[in-house]
Amino acid sequence: MSGRLPVVAVILAGVLLGTWLLTRDQSGLPDVVEPFSTAKKGDVSEPVTGPKGGELFTKDDLGLELTIHESGTFPQFRIYPYLKKQPLSPAETNVTVALSRLGRSAELFHFRPESDYLVSDQEVGEPHSFELVIAAEYQGKTYRWNHSQIEARVEMSDATMRSSGIELATAGPAVIRSQITLPGEIIFNEHNIVHVVPRLPGMVVSIERHHGQKVKKGEVLAVMESAMLADLRSQYLLALRRQALAQTIYDREEQLWQEKITARQDYLTAQQQREEASITTKLAAERLLALGVQPESGLSGKNLARYEIRSPISGIVIDKAIVTGEAVKEDKTVFIIADISTIWAAVRIFPGNLHQVHIGQRAVIRANAYDLTQEGEVIYVTTLLDEQTRTAVARVQLDNQDEQWRPGMFVKADLLTEAVEVPVAVSLEGVQAMGNQSVVFGRYGEYFEMRPLKLGRSDDQMAEVIDGLSAGEDYAASNSFVIKSELGKAGAAHDH
C-alpha cells in the first residue's frame, strides 16, 4: 500500500500537467519525454542538494534547484535555474509545477522571474508533504522531473488504530454555541417561602418542629393556648345551641299552624328567629375559619383555648422564632417554611457582560465541588446594580425534586450568548498543538497526515475550521495524541 500512493499521486499530477501543456503552443515539444537525469527509485527521482540548500534536479546541462521560501508573508516555491552548473537567468526558462497531496485536488503552480530565481504564484500550504511533477522549457526543449516529499505522515493500519483507541470523525457542519461563564450561588426560590404567623395572640405550649426539619402541608408546627380562641369557640358553641333551639321552636310552631291551633304570626316569628340563629352560627364559624381553625375542632369542649399552628406548605423549616412558654402576638413570624422543590441560581453579572444576558436565555449551572450540572433558563435580571460590587443578578430556576441542590452552594453558570451554524467544524478533542499551530490528523487510506488549521469560533466541544480541512474529510477525533507521539518519534513533523 505504501508504494502505491506516491505512484497514484504522480499519475494524477501528470494528468493535470499534461492538460495544461496541451493548451499551450505545441511547437518544439518532444514526442517522447526524455528520461530523468537523476537517480531513480521506482518512478520518483531522488535529487541532490543544491547550492541554495534545496533539491537539485538536473538533465543534460540544465539544472533546477527547488526551495520553499518561508520568511515572507506565506511559503512560496523558489526555483534557481543553472546551465552547466552556473546560474542561469530565470527569464530564459519557463517552469510549471503540478502538486498532488493526500485527500486534495491537484494544484498547478506557475512561476515568474524575480531577481536570480523564479517564484511561484501561490502559497505552498502546510504540511509540505506532496508529489511533484516539474516541467521546464529551455530553448525549445522540455524537461520533466518527478519528486516526492513526505512530511508529518504516519502509516497506521485500521487494526492498529483501533487498538490505540483512535476514533475517526468527519469534518462537517456544526452549531457553535458561544457562551460566557459567570459565578453564582444557589438561593431559595423567594416565591416558595412562607412566613407563618399565629393570627391570634396566645401562649406557646409546645413546639413540634424545629429549624432544618422537613414538614408536610397541614402538619402541626407548634401548639398555643389562646384566650381569644376560647372566646370565639364559646361564641360558636353558643350559636350552635341557639340555632338548635330556634329550629325546635320553628318545627313546633309550623306543626301548630298547620293544625290551625296557633296564629300564622307566631309561625312567621319562629321562622325569622331560626334564620337569625343560622346567620349567627355561620358568622361565628367564619371567624374561626379566618384564623385557620376548624369550627368543629372545639365541639368536644375539652380545651377551647388550644390552638395548633400548622404548616401552609410542604418544605423545610428555615427559621423558628418562638420558645415554649413565650407569649406571642398575632402578627409575629414564628416559623419560615421554604419549598425547595425548585430553587434559584443567583448569577453575578459584571458590567461588561450586562448586554449579553437576557430573560429566557439558556444557562447550564455547574456545582463542580458536588459534581452537579443542570440546564435552566434566566427568569429575571435585576434592574439595579449592587452598590458595592456594581454587579447585577440573573436568576436561573432549577428543578430540585431530588433535593441535591442546596442553598449556599457556589456555582458556575455557562450562559449561551450565540448559536451559529458553521459549514466545517472539528471536535476540540481531536485538535493538537504542533509548534505554533493547531492541527488535526486527516485519515487517507492507511495514512494519517497532519493538517494545520485556521480556526474560528469555538465552544466547549467543537471548533469552526476556516481553512485547512474540507467538509467530508475524516480525521482522528480521539486519542490523536498517539499520532502526534508517533510523529515525534519519527521526526516527521515540520520544524518551524
Side-chain angles (χ1 to χ4, degrees):
M1 181 69 180
S2 60
R4 291 165 55 193
L5 276 175
V7 174
V8 173
V10 170
I11 293 173
L12 177 60
V15 170
L16 180 61
L17 180 58
T19 302
W20 173 76
L21 291 173
L22 287 173
T23 63
R24 303 186 57 215
D25 181 8
Q26 301 299 307
S27 61
L29 293 180
D31 295 330
V32 179
V33 178
E34 297 188 21
F36 303 141
S37 62
T38 53
K40 293 184 179 181
K41 181 180 180 181
D43 292 330
V44 181
S45 300
E46 293 184 346
V48 297
T49 302
K52 303 294 184 180
E55 307 286 357
L56 181 60
F57 303 89
T58 59
K59 175 66 172 72
D60 299 333
D61 293 332
L62 182 67
L64 296 181
E65 184 177 356
L66 178 68
T67 67
I68 299 178
H69 183 72
E70 300 187 72
S71 62
T73 55
F74 55 83
Q76 292 175 299
F77 281 129
R78 284 187 179 182
I79 294 179
Y80 296 84
Y82 301 95
L83 185 63
K84 297 181 179 180
K85 300 184 180 181
Q86 297 299 317
L88 176 66
S89 172
E92 296 186 42
T93 58
N94 187 8
V95 179
T96 304
V97 171
L99 180 149
S100 176
R101 300 175 184 272
L102 292 179
R104 294 285 191 273
S105 299
E107 303 172 70
L108 192 63
F109 291 79
H110 298 281
F111 291 79
R112 68 177 186 277
E114 187 173 297
S115 184
D116 61 341
Y117 54 83
L118 295 158
V119 64
S120 63
D121 60 348
Q122 57 184 297
E123 178 180 355
V124 184
E126 295 278 3
H128 296 156
S129 182
F130 39 67
E131 314 291 336
L132 295 179
V133 176
I134 304 171
E137 288 185 8
Y138 176 66
Q139 294 184 348
K141 188 176 181 180
T142 300
Y143 302 82
R144 186 180 298 178
W145 296 271
N146 289 13
H147 175 56
S148 175
Q149 179 170 313
I150 305 302
E151 179 182 285
R153 183 185 296 178
V154 173
E155 184 175 5
M156 185 179 294
S157 67
D158 290 344
T160 303
M161 182 181 70
R162 287 191 294 270
S163 65
S164 300
I166 299 172
E167 296 182 0
L168 300 181
T170 303
V175 176
I176 303 296
R177 305 179 188 278
S178 301
Q179 63 185 30
I180 56 174
T181 300
L182 299 172
E185 181 182 357
I186 298 299
I187 62 174
F188 289 108
N189 181 342
E190 294 178 2
H191 298 161
N192 292 342
I193 295 179
V194 176
H195 291 247
V196 180
V197 297
R199 290 188 284 186
L200 48 79
M203 181 79 69
V204 178
V205 176
S206 65
I207 298 174
E208 305 298 326
R209 288 292 179 267
H210 300 275
H211 190 280
Q213 291 184 320
K214 293 182 180 181
V215 295
K216 295 182 179 180
K217 182 178 180 179
E219 195 170 344
V220 176
L221 301 175
V223 178
M224 295 173 50
E225 288 186 350
S226 171
M228 177 180 175
L229 179 60
D231 182 55
L232 292 174
R233 278 176 169 160
S234 298
Q235 292 177 24
Y236 175 70
L237 291 175
L238 181 60
L240 281 177
R241 291 171 182 172
R242 287 177 176 173
Q243 182 182 6
L245 178 60
Q247 182 66 42
T248 300
I249 294 174
Y250 169 78
D251 293 340
R252 185 189 64 185
E253 290 297 330
E254 182 183 31
Q255 183 178 359
L256 292 175
W257 177 68
Q258 289 176 352
E259 294 176 356
K260 309 297 184 180
I261 298 175
T262 185
R264 176 179 174 79
Q265 183 63 35
D266 293 338
Y267 164 70
L268 294 176
T269 299
Q271 186 181 50
Q272 180 180 354
Q273 290 175 348
R274 185 194 66 169
E275 292 176 354
E276 289 176 352
S278 176
I279 292 172
T280 300
T281 302
K282 289 180 180 180
L283 180 59
E286 289 296 330
R287 288 172 179 168
L288 290 171
L289 289 172
L291 297 174
V293 178
Q294 293 297 323
E296 294 78 10
S297 63
L299 294 180
S300 63
K302 293 181 179 179
N303 188 350
L304 297 180
R306 179 184 173 89
Y307 175 57
E308 296 174 337
I309 303 175
R310 296 179 178 271
S311 177
I313 62 171
S314 296
I316 62 172
V317 178
I318 62 173
D319 192 25
K320 176 178 70 71
I322 55 173
V323 294
T324 302
E326 179 183 358
V328 297
K329 295 182 179 180
E330 65 275 11
D331 58 353
K332 178 181 178 178
T333 297
V334 292
F335 289 93
I336 300 179
I337 310 298
D339 176 4
I340 60 171
S341 60
T342 61
I343 48 85
W344 289 345
V347 181
R348 288 286 175 185
I349 311 171
F350 303 108
N353 300 119
L354 282 172
H355 68 286
Q356 297 176 294
V357 182
H358 55 83
I359 294 175
Q361 187 172 12
R362 188 180 73 88
V364 176
I365 306 301
R366 296 179 286 108
N368 295 332
Y370 305 91
D371 195 26
L372 294 175
T373 302
Q374 189 177 142
E375 183 175 326
E377 68 175 38
V378 176
I379 61 171
Y380 177 72
V381 180
T382 56
T383 304
L384 301 178
L385 300 182
D386 184 274
E387 293 183 0
Q388 296 182 345
T389 63
R390 311 310 299 172
T391 59
V393 174
R395 295 173 184 166
V396 179
Q397 183 162 305
L398 302 176
D399 180 80
N400 194 36
Q401 297 290 341
D402 54 8
E403 299 183 3
Q404 288 187 310
W405 297 92
R406 298 176 181 271
M409 286 181 175
F410 291 110
V411 297
K412 293 289 185 181
D414 299 326
L415 299 173
L416 177 66
T417 58
E418 185 182 30
V420 179
E421 185 170 356
V422 297
V424 184
V426 294
S427 167
L428 281 179
E429 186 181 1
V431 178
Q432 295 288 334
M434 299 285 284
N436 59 353
Q437 294 180 313
S438 295
V439 307
V440 294
F441 300 103
R443 181 67 170 172
Y444 309 101
E446 291 198 349
Y447 292 92
F448 281 108
E449 190 168 273
M450 181 183 77
R451 288 291 178 260
L453 303 180
K454 182 179 179 182
L455 299 178
R457 291 161 289 196
S458 65
D459 54 23
D460 59 347
Q461 293 184 334
M462 304 294 290
E464 177 187 14
V465 176
I466 297 175
D467 188 35
L469 203 67
S470 302
E473 287 195 71
D474 290 339
Y475 65 96
S478 63
N479 287 337
S480 57
F481 64 87
V482 175
I483 306 169
K484 179 180 178 181
S485 176
E486 289 298 318
L487 285 176
K489 292 177 183 177
H494 188 60
D495 186 17
H496 293 278

